[in-house]
Amino acid sequence: MSKIKSDLKIQKFKSRFLVISIFFILTTSISWFLTYNTDHFLTAVKVSSFGLVIWIMFEFDLLKESKVYLMLFTLSLVLAIIGYYLLEEKGADIWIRSTKASLCYLIIYKVLRYFYILIYKREPKLEKSGGLMADRMFSFILVAGSVFTTMSI
C-alpha cells in the first residue's frame, strides 16, 4: 500500500515539477532579459534563487526519492551554472552566492540524511513543533548549514 502511495506522490510531483519548472524557467528568463543591464537585475536573480530554495523546502518529504532529488538537483545545478556565468561576466560575488543556495541545500540534505538514517535507522522528519530533538537538530543543521555554506563559499 505504501509503495502505491509513494508512486502516486511521485507522479503528482512529476506533473507539478513540469509545470513549476517551466514557469520558473520562463519567468526567470524573462525577468533577467528585461532587467539585465539595470539595477533590478540583482533583485531578479535573488528572487528566482530564493524561490527555488523555498520550493525545494516544500518538497522535503519527497526528497528521499531519488527521482525527485535528481530532478530538483538538476534544476539547482542549472541555476548555479548560470550564477557562475554571471560571476565571470559581471564580476559580482553575490550572484554566485544567491544562485547556489538550492544546490547547497540539496547537497547538505543528502549527506545529513545518510548519517541520520545510519544513526537513527529511520527517515528524518521536518516538524514545526514537537517531534524528536534529533529531527529538530536535523532541520536546524540543514537550514543553518545551507545558509552558512552559501555565504562562505
Side-chain angles (χ1 to χ4, degrees), residues 24 28 31-32 43-53 79 99:
F24 175 79
T28 300
S31 66
W32 287 5
T43 304
V45 170
K46 287 181 180 178
V47 167
S48 63
S49 301
F50 184 69
L52 184 57
V53 171
L79 186 63
T99 56

Side-chain angles (χ1 to χ4, degrees), residues 25-38 40-41 44-45 86:
I25 291 169
L26 284 176
T27 57
T28 300
S29 301
I30 291 169
S31 66
W32 287 5
F33 177 74
L34 294 176
T35 63
Y36 188 68
N37 288 322
T38 68
H40 300 294
F41 182 66
V45 170
L86 295 173

Side-chain angles (χ1 to χ4, degrees), residues 7 25 43 49 53 56 81 97 102 110 137 141-142 150:
D7 289 343
I25 291 169
T43 304
S49 301
V53 171
I56 290 171
I81 290 170
R97 288 183 178 186
S102 57
K110 195 69 161 177
M137 288 303 297
I141 293 170
L142 180 61
T150 300

Side-chain angles (χ1 to χ4, degrees), residues 11 24 30 35 41 57 59-60 83 109 118 127 140 142:
Q11 283 303 109
F24 175 79
I30 291 169
T35 63
F41 182 66
M57 287 180 179
E59 302 293 352
F60 181 83
Y109 169 82
L118 190 67
E127 297 177 0
F140 175 75
L142 180 61

Side-chain angles (χ1 to χ4, degrees), residues 5 26 45 97 102-103 133 138 143:
K5 194 174 185 180
L26 284 176
V45 170
R97 288 183 178 186
S102 57
L103 189 61
M133 182 62 146
F138 177 88
V143 172

